[in-house]
Amino acid sequence: MNAAEFRRRGKEMVDFVADYLENLEQRPVYPDVKPGYLQSLIPTEAPLEPENYEEIMKDVERVIMPGITHWHSPYFYAYFPAASSYPAMLADLLCGAIGCIGFSWAASPACTELETVMLDWLAKMLQLPASFIAGTHGQGGGVIQGSASEATLMSLLAARCKAVRRILSIKPEMSEPEILNKLVAYTSEQSHSSVERAGLIGGVMMKKVPTDSTYAVTGDMLKKIVEKDKEAGLIPFYFCATLGTTASCAFDHISELGLICNEENMWMHVDAAYAGSAFICPEFRPLLNGVEFADSFNLNPHKWLLINFDCSAMCPDSFHEGNCLAAQIDFLLGDHGCACGYVPGTRGGKQQQQQKKLFTWLLCFGEFTADTGCKLARVKKRHDMIGAFKVEPLYLRHENQESGLVTDYRHWQIPLGRRFRSLKMWFVFRMYGLQGLQAHIRKQVALAKEFESLVQADKRFEICADVIMGLVCFRLKGSNELNQNLLKKITKSREIHLVPCHLSGRFVLRFAICSRTTESRHIRKAWRHITQLTFELLKNPIQ
Ligand code: PLP
């Protein structure tokens, strides 16, 4: 394909995409295919000779579309939203064209610098404390990760290293494996499965804290379990709070929880993957009060801020003493020879070098480093910190890296390569403006409230959790089996798509407002559909 053909095909593709999205509500939202359907539709090997573009596009409809769950259909109400907007898609096209791999400032200065500024724009929209902002001096600030799960894992690993450092400094007679065996992390029984997974990957005990009647964790609940564990000789070190739980969009009481975490030397990570975007609206911002106690905070603009996947914003608090991920690694690899990484107990030599590599990705969220003792000290320039740990082959070096004025984001993440994802933020923030983004959030919350009213007006149904944002949890009054059968009928119909959750042992249907194009008429039609299926089900409950 040459440039002339690309121009032609590109215009056709833009038309194809616009047609697809404009007419999406006519397609069944949920596919009707069996596992393995696609293999029988395409050859088992790549073609030897070049193929014709038209044939490929025909196959998009024949092979791909039948197997698509249409996440952007106005009848998609499952999970949480996957954000999408035209400015973000255009920015993604430009990102593909520039095609830079922005691992260091020199690898594409605009890629690095725009990310820093966009995360500051976002932090200011959210009214985060100043310690979450990079500002003009290149200190602190956030980073775009691929997912909330990655952000949680990173925070847990950093917290683990910090805890080992602290315990070793007060009880030098303890060995690292002994400490690791006693470390205990906590999260809500309602938190996302990625938190439990972070515990498994991080190799630490993870305990679930019970929730109150609103499915939120309160300070008292955490305090009780922490006290009991301390009496049993365990070492509490980490708590992952959730603002907007996946099942019912509940909000942990982070002001109370943060105080306890600070008192107990526990790292508090705040997972606001979905609901975090709503905090750009002043009326929702109070739910974020207490973030000042957090050691790290994460939200997914790719869920609710009109920025297509992937774009997960991680903001570590750079001013909390000892919070910087890099500081934990500095300790890990510093003069102590302490290794609290994936292979506990290995010290020095090649193994330590390998661990150093493993942990390089955890680097540099703020402006702290460890001194040569165990005490952490804040440093004035980020190169003091980065310089301590970098894996620096000649081919990645550049003349500005020690200037203290630039960020090399490769030190902030697992992979070396990174896309120019901040372009999507820049286009979306500018084309919607803060007011446009707030309007999007408010509209979706209003649609959820409308759906809630429809459910409340039908005495056969009940609402199962407070509707605070764009999610309604509801069920038919009756058995779990009845509700399972209703969901089966809904899924089979393929007209709307929902997923369930369990709340207090009950099978509950989740109705999440997801698509940017969902309007009141879609909500009302979805409800008519649900009540029609309910009518059929109640006539013949054994399905
Ligand atoms: N945390 C919460 C509260 C979520 O609801 C989700 C996904 O819905 C996640 C984490 C995982 O997000 P990601 O896919 O970005 O890892």
Side-chain angles (χ1 to χ4, degrees):
M1 189 181 283
N2 57 24
E5 191 184 355
F6 176 72
R7 279 176 208 278
R8 190 157 57 89
R9 298 305 187 190
K11 284 165 193 156
E12 285 170 16
M13 182 58 91
V14 168
D15 280 340
F16 179 88
V17 169
D19 286 346
Y20 166 73
L21 291 172
E22 264 188 344
N23 299 308
L24 201 42
E25 66 181 274
Q26 265 108 54
R27 293 180 188 255
V29 60
Y30 194 63
D32 184 19
V33 291
K34 297 269 180 295
Y37 91 95
L38 190 141
Q39 273 188 331
S40 62
L41 297 177
I42 58 172
T44 51
E45 283 176 32
L48 198 57
E49 302 288 335
E51 287 193 50
N52 181 304
Y53 182 81
E54 266 109 5
E55 292 304 315
I56 301 172
M57 283 310 287
K58 267 191 224 152
D59 281 353
V60 169
E61 205 51 67
R62 183 181 70 89
V63 178
I64 303 299
M65 287 301 171
I68 296 288
T69 300
H70 296 286
W71 280 63
H72 302 290
S73 160
Y75 296 115
F76 182 93
Y77 306 112
Y79 315 107
F80 273 140
S84 172
S85 68
Y86 291 116
M89 281 183 259
L90 289 175
D92 239 354
L93 182 63
L94 180 60
C95 168
I98 294 172
C100 64
I101 309 296
F103 46 76
S104 68
W105 180 84
S108 239
C111 177
T112 293
E113 294 199 11
L114 189 66
E115 180 159 336
T116 308
V117 178
M118 284 308 101
L119 282 152
D120 274 7
W121 281 15
L122 180 60
K124 287 175 191 170
M125 285 183 204
L126 295 163
Q127 295 181 32
L128 290 181
S131 50
F132 290 94
I133 292 169
T136 48
H137 304 299
Q139 306 288 342
V143 60
I144 302 176
Q145 301 287 354
S147 69
S149 312
E150 281 170 61
T152 302
L153 173 62
M154 293 174 79
S155 68
L156 179 122
L157 292 175
R160 189 183 68 169
C161 292
K162 181 182 176 186
V164 172
R165 166 187 58 79
R166 190 175 62 80
I167 305 302
L168 275 179
S169 71
I170 49 180
K171 292 186 181 170
E173 71 282 3
M174 278 184 87
S175 70
E176 290 158 37
E178 260 179 291
I179 297 171
L180 286 167
N181 276 337
K182 288 180 184 295
L183 289 183
V184 53
Y186 305 89
T187 192
S188 161
E189 61 184 5
Q190 293 289 328
S191 69
H192 190 261
S193 56
S194 53
V195 183
E196 189 176 340
R197 250 182 120 223
L200 289 173
I201 297 169
V204 291
M205 199 185 319
M206 171 80 70
K207 291 199 175 185
K208 300 279 176 76
V209 185
T211 52
D212 66 9
S213 59
T214 67
Y215 303 107
V217 177
T218 63
D220 286 350
M221 286 156 163
L222 180 65
K223 185 91 190 154
K224 214 181 280 172
I225 187 165
V226 163
E227 289 301 336
K228 209 167 144 209
D229 283 347
K230 281 198 311 188
E231 275 166 32
L234 295 177
I235 307 168
F237 80 102
Y238 175 87
F239 175 67
C240 178
T242 312
L243 294 181
T245 57
T246 315
S248 68
C249 203
F251 292 81
D252 290 344
H253 299 211
I254 58 169
S255 293
E256 299 166 18
L257 293 159
L259 272 173
I260 294 165
C261 289
N262 286 190
E263 274 166 26
E264 299 289 344
N265 275 316
M266 289 164 65
W267 182 294
M268 182 166 83
H269 175 67
V270 176
D271 172 9
Y274 162 69
S277 297
F279 303 142
I280 64 166
C281 300
E283 65 273 31
F284 295 123
R285 179 59 180 76
L287 289 164
L288 187 57
N289 289 348
V291 71
E292 59 278 12
F293 298 118
D295 299 84
S296 46
F297 168 69
N298 170 250
L299 77 152
N300 280 352
H302 69 226
K303 277 190 164 53
W304 211 10
L305 221 47
L306 296 171
I307 297 166
N308 292 50
F309 192 85
D310 55 341
C311 181
S312 182
M314 184 179 190
C315 308
D317 182 342
S318 60
F319 292 138
H320 269 189
E321 195 196 351
N323 273 7
C324 172
L325 302 181
Q328 318 316 325
I329 299 152
D330 192 16
F331 170 75
L332 178 76
L333 302 167
D335 290 357
H336 321 283
C338 149
C340 49
Y342 289 96
V343 196
T346 55
R347 286 167 193 257
K350 200 168 166 210
Q351 277 171 315
Q352 187 176 339
Q353 284 306 313
Q354 282 164 348
Q355 293 208 329
K356 181 171 173 173
K357 281 184 187 155
L358 279 171
F359 279 86
T360 300
W361 64 272
L362 275 174
L363 285 175
C364 18
F365 283 98
E367 46 189 307
F368 294 93
T369 188
D371 58 22
T372 49
C374 277
K375 209 167 131 281
L376 289 176
R378 195 174 140 200
V379 294
K380 300 286 182 301
K381 295 192 183 86
R382 63 171 55 195
H383 71 253
D384 289 346
M385 174 182 67
I386 296 168
F389 327 109
K390 56 196 169 196
V391 177
E392 200 81 86
L394 188 59
Y395 48 83
L396 295 179
R397 292 184 63 84
H398 60 91
E399 61 186 1
N400 287 298
Q401 66 185 32
E402 308 295 350
S403 68
L405 300 172
V406 304
T407 303
D408 287 338
Y409 275 120
R410 70 190 165 92
H411 298 302
W412 299 52
Q413 60 174 29
I414 303 169
L416 173 68
R418 56 201 333 270
R419 298 174 72 238
F420 197 166
R421 289 177 288 207
S422 57
L423 271 178
K424 292 185 286 195
M425 299 177 88
W426 195 46
F427 274 45
V428 170
F429 289 170
R430 293 181 69 184
M431 291 209 69
Y432 279 87
L434 176 58
Q435 287 179 350
L437 296 169
Q438 289 171 333
H440 170 66
I441 301 277
R442 287 176 179 139
K443 178 179 166 187
Q444 297 219 319
V445 176
L447 288 171
K449 293 276 180 200
E450 182 178 347
F451 186 79
E452 180 190 25
S453 308
L454 293 169
V455 177
Q456 280 168 332
D458 188 327
K459 296 294 166 229
R460 295 170 299 176
F461 286 89
E462 60 186 321
I463 293 289
C464 306
D466 293 342
V467 178
I468 299 171
M469 301 224 167
L471 175 68
V472 183
C473 290
F474 72 107
R475 73 195 299 277
L476 267 171
K477 291 173 186 165
S479 67
N480 282 350
E481 197 188 1
L482 187 67
N483 283 282
Q484 280 158 359
N485 286 339
L486 176 59
L487 185 62
K488 268 189 214 155
K489 277 175 97 59
I490 291 172
T491 307
K492 208 167 152 203
S493 78
R494 304 194 294 128
E495 285 191 32
I496 62 173
H497 188 42
L498 319 180
V499 293
C501 68
H502 277 121
L503 288 175
S504 309
R506 298 192 310 167
F507 187 89
V508 168
L509 280 65
R510 291 170 79 264
F511 189 95
I513 309 296
C514 289
S515 168
R516 178 177 50 83
T517 59
T518 302
E519 300 287 346
S520 171
R521 69 185 169 87
H522 300 114
I523 300 295
R524 282 181 276 118
K525 190 169 166 197
W527 180 243
R528 277 199 303 277
H529 182 62
I530 292 169
T531 51
Q532 174 60 33
L533 296 179
T534 300
F535 175 74
E536 292 167 18
L537 178 70
L538 294 179
K539 258 197 334 193
N540 178 19
I542 312 296
Q543 298 290 312

